[in-house]
């Protein structure tokens, strides 16, 4: 019986377990007994707990621990949140065993230094899904960021997805773009920590959401609001 | 607007005020601590959650903004607050105007 797996009892229990080691990776499994996919995923989680002994695995019954569920803005089960200490590494919505196994394969080793200098290449997921490189040089990261920024005429780097935003500012940005019938593409920075941190540095802008027009930072929510009101937004896209 | 417990400014708010005052000599500087609205994040933090300083709305009126685009104005503020942003400060809602840009009804 592994000692890294815990069923969370209450908030103090949760905080105590996390705070034991702030360099440790934790996997949070938000589940509910009435959701069929959770039964399978709970088994998957137990296997992963055995495999990755150094990862703290916390099983959280979403409805009885509503405070924790809310604080992670979890809206559906199963949802998996991967943390290092208190820092969010990634989150996975839904019963995607492959994505979960992948995420652990990427993150569950020695604490990475940001933008590490090794030449290790990406590991391919269990069914051939692409995983972002475990470590890339700053140049490689910046090249990847520029490519992402130019993916579409209007790109929104946000928390969550347009249909499931994970933050009020991101939600409002999507609403404004949709209200003004702007075609845009988006990237969920919660799924990729290197993009999240790299973009802050590249664009010299410390917050998200970030609106990119024609490959260049236009600003955040406040500026998007101003541009929409003044008509500057339509001009920029004409 | 939801009810908010009245609190005296914490260290981050005081720092925002002193840094922006020094940088911009503003004619108007209002800072509102919105962290309480995001208090559900508090379950993740070690602090007791009573005086969170993670989300602020800052309204600045300053001559120094003249001739600068919104992005440039926001960057000035972000640069001044880079230490705070590297720590607990998580989000800033910014309104930046020059005295000439403020509608007469507000001045």
């Amino acid at each position: 019986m592994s000692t890294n797996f815990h069923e969370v009892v209450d908030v103090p229990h949760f905080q105590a377990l996390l705070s034991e080691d702030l360099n440790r990776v934790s996997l949070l499994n938000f589940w509910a007994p009435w959701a069929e996919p959770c039964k399978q995923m709970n088994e998957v989680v137990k296997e992963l707990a055995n495999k990755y002994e150094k990862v703290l695995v916390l099983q959280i019954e979403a409805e009885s621990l509503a405070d924790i569920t809310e604080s992670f803005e979890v809206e559906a089960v199963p949802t998996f949140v991967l943390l290092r200490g208190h820092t969010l590494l990634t989150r996975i919505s839904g019963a995607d065993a492959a994505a979960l196994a992948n995420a652990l394969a990427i993150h569950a080793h020695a604490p990475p230094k940001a933008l590490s200098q090794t030449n290790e290449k990406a590991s391919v997921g269990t069914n051939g899904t692409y995983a972002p490189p475990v470590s890339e040089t700053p140049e490689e990261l910046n090249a990847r960021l520029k490519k992402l920024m130019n993916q579409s005429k209007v790109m929104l780097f946000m928390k969550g997805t347009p249909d499931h935003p994970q933050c009020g500012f991101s939600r409002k940005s999507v609403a404004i773009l949709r209200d003004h019938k702007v075609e845009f593409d988006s990237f969920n920075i919660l799924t990729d920590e290197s993009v999240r941190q790299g973009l802050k540095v590249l664009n010299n802008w410390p917050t998200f959401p970030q609106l990119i027009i024609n490959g260049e930072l236009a600003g955040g929510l406040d500026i998007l609001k101003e541009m929409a009101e003044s008509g500057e937004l339509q001009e920029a896209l004409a | 607007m939801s009810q908010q417990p009245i609190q005296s400014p914490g260290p981050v708010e005081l720092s925002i005020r002193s840094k922006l005052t020094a940088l911009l000599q503003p004619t108007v500087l209002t800072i509102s601590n919105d962290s309480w609205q995001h208090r559900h994040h508090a379950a993740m933090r070690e602090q007791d959650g009573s005086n969170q300083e993670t989300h602020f709305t800052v309204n600045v009126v300053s001559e120094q903004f003249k001739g600068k685009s919104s992005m440039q104005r926001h960057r000035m503020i972000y640069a001044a607050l880079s230490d705070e942003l590297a720590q607990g400060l998580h989000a800033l809602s910014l309104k930046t105007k020059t005295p000439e840009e403020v509608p007469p009804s507000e001045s």
Side-chain angles (χ1 to χ4, degrees):
Chain A
M1 171 80 158
S2 60
T3 49
N4 59 331
F5 178 89
H6 301 266
E7 297 226 19
V8 175
V9 172
D10 55 26
V11 175
H13 184 212
F14 174 73
Q15 286 173 324
L17 285 168
L18 272 186
S19 310
E20 269 173 19
D21 181 356
L22 289 179
N23 276 324
R24 173 169 59 170
V25 170
S26 316
L27 169 62
L28 278 52
N29 173 12
F30 291 88
W31 72 287
W34 42 259
E36 195 57 37
C38 291
K39 296 201 173 87
Q40 285 175 304
M41 287 309 289
N42 285 358
E43 294 306 308
V44 171
V45 166
K46 288 211 174 79
E47 279 172 31
L48 289 169
N50 281 332
K51 182 171 175 187
Y52 295 98
E53 290 172 346
K54 295 222 171 64
V55 171
L56 175 68
V57 179
L58 300 178
Q59 191 116 311
I60 299 168
E61 210 199 300
E63 289 175 322
S64 51
L65 293 164
D67 275 342
I68 304 182
T69 305
E70 262 184 59
S71 82
F72 285 91
E73 292 175 320
V74 169
E75 290 175 13
V77 288
T79 291
F80 307 94
V81 172
L82 216 61
L83 304 172
R84 180 180 300 286
H86 290 164
T87 305
L88 179 70
L89 294 174
T90 189
R91 50 194 298 150
I92 294 164
S93 251
D96 193 341
L100 184 58
N102 220 15
L104 275 157
I106 295 171
H107 293 290
H109 52 74
K113 302 188 183 25
L115 304 178
S116 123
Q117 301 298 317
T118 69
N119 284 324
E120 284 171 31
K121 277 304 166 193
S123 57
V124 178
T126 46
N127 59 353
T129 52
Y130 174 71
V134 171
S135 52
E136 38 185 356
T137 63
E139 292 79 27
E140 283 168 353
L141 177 61
N142 279 349
R144 184 156 73 94
L145 293 176
K146 296 220 170 85
K147 200 158 157 219
L148 280 171
M149 294 204 296
N150 283 293
Q151 193 172 288
S152 157
K153 185 167 183 169
V154 181
M155 268 298 279
L156 184 69
F157 287 85
M158 61 181 289
K159 297 185 176 178
T161 61
D163 290 329
H164 297 286
Q166 305 271 6
C167 128
F169 292 11
S170 288
R171 184 182 309 125
K172 291 194 183 119
S173 301
V174 170
I176 293 178
L177 290 170
R178 285 178 168 170
D179 280 347
H180 288 81
K181 311 259 188 289
V182 175
E183 274 192 38
F184 68 100
D185 219 352
S186 72
F187 184 91
N188 181 358
I189 51 122
L190 295 178
T191 61
D192 191 327
E193 193 63 18
S194 339
V195 170
R196 182 178 185 172
Q197 300 308 329
L199 217 50
K200 285 186 192 177
V201 173
L202 182 65
N203 287 336
N204 190 18
W205 195 264
T207 54
F208 288 97
Q210 289 189 14
L211 179 70
I212 315 289
I213 298 182
N214 291 324
E216 278 182 13
L217 177 71
L221 172 63
D222 295 321
I223 295 183
L224 172 57
K225 261 194 254 177
E226 286 175 17
M227 287 176 76
E229 279 162 23
S230 71
E232 223 183 302
L233 184 61
Q234 326 311 87
E235 276 178 41
L237 301 172
Chain B
M1 191 71 106
S2 51
Q3 288 301 321
Q4 229 181 36
I6 309 292
Q7 293 176 328
S8 50
V12 174
E13 184 169 338
L14 293 172
S15 190
I16 295 178
R17 183 168 293 279
S18 68
K19 286 185 177 175
L20 294 186
T21 302
L23 179 71
L24 300 168
Q25 294 93 48
T27 52
V28 174
L29 174 60
T30 41
I31 303 176
S32 149
N33 184 344
D34 303 323
S35 312
W36 190 79
Q37 292 166 19
H38 300 264
R39 69 199 181 285
H40 53 275
H41 291 300
M44 267 185 77
R45 303 199 192 279
E46 292 154 11
Q47 303 157 3
D48 66 46
S50 57
N51 194 4
Q52 290 297 290
E53 292 195 288
T54 55
H55 295 69
F56 287 92
T57 300
V58 178
N59 179 7
V60 194
V61 179
S62 161
E63 273 295 328
Q64 306 276 339
F65 290 141
K66 204 180 228 151
K68 297 197 164 69
S69 71
S70 283
M71 250 180 80
Q72 290 168 318
R73 299 176 187 188
H74 289 201
R75 283 220 165 97
M76 286 171 79
I77 296 179
Y78 286 148
L81 299 175
S82 61
D83 285 343
E84 287 78 8
L85 284 160
Q87 293 164 40
L89 181 58
H90 182 79
L92 283 173
S93 216
L94 298 178
K95 295 196 185 352
T96 54
K97 290 208 183 323
T98 63
E100 293 78 24
E101 289 167 354
V102 177
S105 53
E106 281 179 32
S107 44

